[in-house]
Amino acid sequence: MSDERPALPPAPQLKRRSVVMGTALLAGLAPLQALQAAEPLEPDEEALFMPGTARPTADGRIEVDIHAWIFERERRWGLNAALARYLGLNLKTLSPAARLRFNQRTALFHTESEEGKLIDVVFDGTQTRVKMPPSTADGRTNLRVVVDAPRTAAPVQWLQFHGVTGPGELLHRFRGQALVVPPEGVSVISDIDDTIKRTQVRDRREMLLNTFARRFEAAPRMAAYYRALAQVPDTRFHYLSASPIQLYPALADFVRDNDFPAGSMHLRESTAWRTLIPGAEDSRAHKLGVIDRLLTEFPQRRFVLVGDSGEADPEIYAQVYRANPQRIDSIVIRDVTDEGRLSDRYRATFEGIDAVLWHILMPDTTAWPLQASR
């Protein structure tokens, strides 16, 4: 039998004008069709708002970035066991308390992202209500909008809001907030794992146990150092990590429970447990992207970069400094690899950068190198 197939007749040739007009019409209809097909959240669906940033405007209002993830929890037997096997952990050998933590911290990895869902946002202390765009295939919906500032006597540091899915139906459990960042001041961009929280990223098994099964342990003295920095007016904190957004509730509790200053949180966009552990390039790209965005959003602010030596924070921060030498006040690296300031790594990484601008913080022996007042 021959494999040859009869040739198809040539397709009719459309005039370029018709093609362009048709493409433009489809492009214009697509967002409208998506909006018409979108629908409010079902009772078993949830929204998680990430704490982003906001900025005052010249006319006394506030421009705010809102980031939400809409999902439905999957309640199927065996999901935790499958995830534990994927991570290389044996649930049977964990203590009851450790198993409970594992269940709690992995809960948001057992979800299905919801596409085409609508949620409105109502801002506390105002009459403002805005509609978020329909959620995308990964459940994400983002919006930048200018709103009236709440009527308060004191300056607003946090803009509070909550999700609304229908007329008069307030979903108070879906609360969100955005950090109001003044035009000028100091912003501390801080890594999380092995910088303010003991994670042991370089040991995969210890990292997984510390992330999913054990109590989070704060790095010694770091909270006190940060609280001292926070005393300076208009200082703001931005916590940056390659951890996936599913860990946000646990990390937010850690920051609060250990008395670190509250701040915006910038976690990696990941809504599948198979991408839980990022590659080195994914982590680097995420951190560089967030830092560049903060530098762009707040062009008059100065920045302090705090990280650790367990991964590529020294190299990332040196790259940021070289691209923005007038914007970076200091770089502080918590040395968890026992390399020391005179190591080949640090000398090569910070070559050409003034020695007074970068600091190696030995966890047990070195005092915090920055002044808390200016």
Side-chain angles (χ1 to χ4, degrees):
M1 180 180 293
S2 172
D3 289 335
E4 294 184 2
R5 296 172 184 169
L8 295 175
Q13 298 296 313
L14 297 177
K15 295 182 179 180
R16 185 177 185 278
R17 175 181 174 85
S18 300
V19 173
V20 172
M21 291 183 63
T23 302
L25 180 61
L26 289 175
L29 287 177
L32 179 61
Q33 292 172 341
L35 183 61
Q36 291 174 339
E39 57 185 9
L41 276 64
E42 298 290 339
D44 57 352
E45 294 169 346
E46 303 177 43
L48 176 67
F49 290 98
M50 299 297 295
T53 57
R55 58 208 60 82
T57 62
D59 60 358
R61 306 178 77 197
I62 296 178
E63 183 182 53
V64 57
D65 296 319
I66 308 172
H67 306 275
W69 173 36
I70 298 175
F71 58 90
E72 178 182 349
R73 295 178 189 262
E74 294 183 336
R75 296 174 173 84
R76 291 185 292 169
W77 295 106
L79 283 177
N80 265 4
L83 179 54
R85 285 196 300 272
Y86 172 78
L87 296 175
L89 298 178
N90 186 348
L91 294 181
K92 294 180 180 179
T93 64
L94 299 180
S95 69
R99 283 199 299 272
L100 176 61
R101 288 191 200 99
F102 183 87
N103 293 339
Q104 292 172 337
R105 293 180 188 170
T106 59
L108 292 185
F109 292 94
H110 308 323
T111 58
E112 180 179 356
S113 296
E114 295 296 327
E115 183 178 8
K117 293 296 180 175
L118 292 174
I119 189 167
D120 291 2
V121 169
V122 174
F123 293 86
D124 297 11
T126 76
Q127 299 298 315
T128 304
R129 174 170 174 158
V130 298
K131 185 178 296 295
M132 299 289 290
S135 59
T136 55
D138 59 359
R140 301 293 290 176
T141 174
N142 306 311
L143 179 67
R144 172 175 290 192
V145 63
V146 177
V147 301
D148 293 332
R151 297 178 180 177
T152 60
V156 176
Q157 183 167 340
W158 285 94
L159 190 65
Q160 307 284 346
F161 54 84
H162 53 262
V164 179
T165 60
E169 183 185 359
L170 302 185
L171 299 182
H172 292 288
R173 66 186 183 275
F174 301 149
R175 297 199 63 83
Q177 60 181 356
L179 179 67
V180 180
V181 181
E184 298 182 357
V186 173
S187 280
V188 179
I189 299 180
S190 172
D191 179 56
I192 295 178
D193 292 309
D194 289 325
T195 298
I196 65 171
K197 179 175 73 68
R198 182 177 180 270
T199 305
Q200 295 179 273
V201 170
R202 294 164 65 89
D203 184 323
R204 177 186 170 91
R205 178 169 173 78
E206 287 298 301
M207 175 191 71
L208 293 173
L209 289 171
N210 289 328
T211 300
F212 292 106
R214 295 171 178 160
R215 289 181 179 274
F216 286 163
E217 179 182 336
R221 298 183 295 280
M222 293 298 289
Y225 295 150
Y226 281 21
R227 289 196 301 271
L229 293 176
Q231 297 304 308
V232 180
D234 295 335
T235 297
R236 295 292 186 268
F237 287 80
H238 312 281
Y239 295 102
L240 170 60
S241 173
S243 294
I245 61 175
Q246 290 92 331
L247 289 174
Y248 164 67
L251 291 174
D253 289 345
F254 164 79
V255 169
R256 182 192 64 243
D257 294 346
N258 288 277
D259 294 326
F260 285 95
S264 61
M265 192 166 288
H266 308 268
L267 305 182
R268 185 168 48 90
E269 297 286 340
S270 171
T271 50
W273 58 266
R274 291 178 179 84
T275 58
L276 186 155
I277 302 175
E281 288 306 312
D282 292 334
S283 177
R284 186 186 187 95
H286 167 68
K287 290 186 174 182
L288 285 171
V290 170
I291 295 172
D292 181 68
R293 192 158 60 248
L294 290 170
L295 286 164
T296 302
E297 293 290 343
F298 306 105
Q300 300 178 61
R301 292 182 68 82
R302 304 188 318 281
F303 288 80
V304 172
L305 310 179
V306 187
D308 66 88
S309 62
E311 294 183 283
D313 288 348
E315 291 76 13
I316 292 171
Y317 292 170
Q319 178 178 337
V320 170
Y321 176 86
R322 290 189 175 97
N324 307 271
Q326 304 303 318
R327 305 288 310 282
I328 309 302
D329 274 7
S330 301
I331 296 172
V332 180
I333 300 298
R334 186 170 180 268
D335 190 346
V336 297
T337 51
D338 296 324
E339 293 177 79
R341 184 180 178 90
L342 299 180
S343 69
D344 291 342
R345 176 190 183 184
Y346 292 139
R347 294 173 67 177
T349 297
F350 296 110
E351 182 179 6
I353 299 177
D354 193 329
V356 303
L357 296 177
W358 59 275
H359 312 272
I360 304 303
L361 180 65
M362 305 303 290
D364 300 320
T365 61
T366 310
W368 182 249
L370 305 183
Q371 298 295 319
S373 62
R374 52 182 170 84

